[in-house]
Amino acid sequence: MAEVCADNAVGLTLVPVTGEASDVERVAEAAVDGFVVWTSADDDPVVDAVASSGLPSVIHSGPHGRRLAVVGIDDRAAARAIGLEAFAGAQRPAVLSFPLDRNRRRRLLAGPDPARATFPVTRHRLQGFQDAWRDLGGSWAGLRVAACPGNSAAHGAAFAADMLAGGDPPDAIAAMSDELALGALRAAAHARLVVPDALAVTGWDDSDAAARAGLTTVAQSLHDQGVRCARIALGLEQRTSMDDQAPWQMRRRKSTRVRQGG
């Protein structure tokens, strides 16, 4: 986004979001010509404030429904694809998840209803993992979802370590980001588990660190999506629909088992 603004001699203002009631006032008073909202929840009043502003606005990855353009990938389809890799040959799979809602509570749940997640990214990825596990003959009720309070390797390592130290440790972990997955790899190494034989791990985003770690992951270009968001907000590109789908692909590396027929 900064590149597009610089190329077009337009200033870029960062409007901080704290989760407090003051967020809405801050958005309403922002001296700007348009907004790009970077991924939020269905019930976030900031998104309503942006929609009410009447300014050109774009949301990255949702939520939908405010008649604002949304730029992102098909998270459900991508999660199903990476889930099939993560869960291949597994008996006790788990998901390292983004927060389910704006409370951002740390929770370990068994087969939660994806529809209850108010963050669209979390909801759609849970739906895709659910599709994958069911396609492999598994019961969603038996799949554990570890909802982390934030997206960091530290959160991923701590939650993965707790699960691996339990009486029924997972043998596969599908993480919603490379950071969470790298934390899971750190926990596996600490527990002296061989990846992927004892524990398969997948990530999301295809970061440089994921490539160095040999992590199977979903590749998407957040850079290109940011460019697209900025260009739509500035009126430099026309949107073809309210849902602007970006490309993605899977990077299969050494952190997952060989899937039959895959």
Side-chain angles (χ1 to χ4, degrees), residues 9-143:
V10 174
L12 177 63
T13 300
L14 300 181
V15 181
V17 174
T18 64
E20 301 296 330
S22 59
D23 289 343
V24 171
E25 183 178 356
R26 191 177 302 111
V27 169
E29 294 179 350
V32 297
D33 297 315
F35 289 101
V36 176
V37 181
W38 201 255
T39 307
S40 193
D42 297 329
D43 58 348
D44 189 349
V46 165
V47 181
D48 293 322
V50 167
S52 298
S53 72
L55 297 172
S57 302
V58 187
I59 304 176
H60 178 258
S61 294
H64 297 74
R66 269 80 164 187
R67 297 194 59 78
L68 301 177
V70 176
V71 174
I73 69 171
D74 186 337
D75 282 289
R76 182 169 184 169
R80 178 184 176 275
I82 197 71
L84 289 172
E85 293 296 316
F87 304 150
Q91 299 297 317
R92 303 177 307 281
V95 172
L96 275 177
S97 171
F98 289 152
L100 301 180
D101 52 43
R102 292 195 298 132
N103 289 327
R104 297 180 176 273
R105 285 180 292 168
R106 186 184 194 270
R107 291 185 281 178
L108 181 61
L109 306 168
D113 181 1
R116 299 186 66 179
T118 59
F119 280 106
V121 170
T122 304
R123 179 170 64 248
H124 297 153
R125 293 184 189 184
L126 284 178
Q127 289 171 336
F129 290 136
Q130 182 182 62
D131 294 339
W133 186 229
R134 286 177 171 172
D135 288 348
L136 292 170
S139 168
W140 178 247
L143 193 150

Side-chain angles (χ1 to χ4, degrees), residues 1-5 8 12 35-36 38 58 71 223-237:
M1 289 187 288
E3 288 177 9
V4 173
C5 290
N8 290 275
L12 177 63
F35 289 101
V36 176
W38 201 255
V58 187
V71 174
H223 174 275
D224 291 349
Q225 291 171 44
V227 167
R228 177 69 174 154
C229 285
R231 290 184 63 82
I232 291 175
L234 291 175
L236 301 174
E237 290 187 18

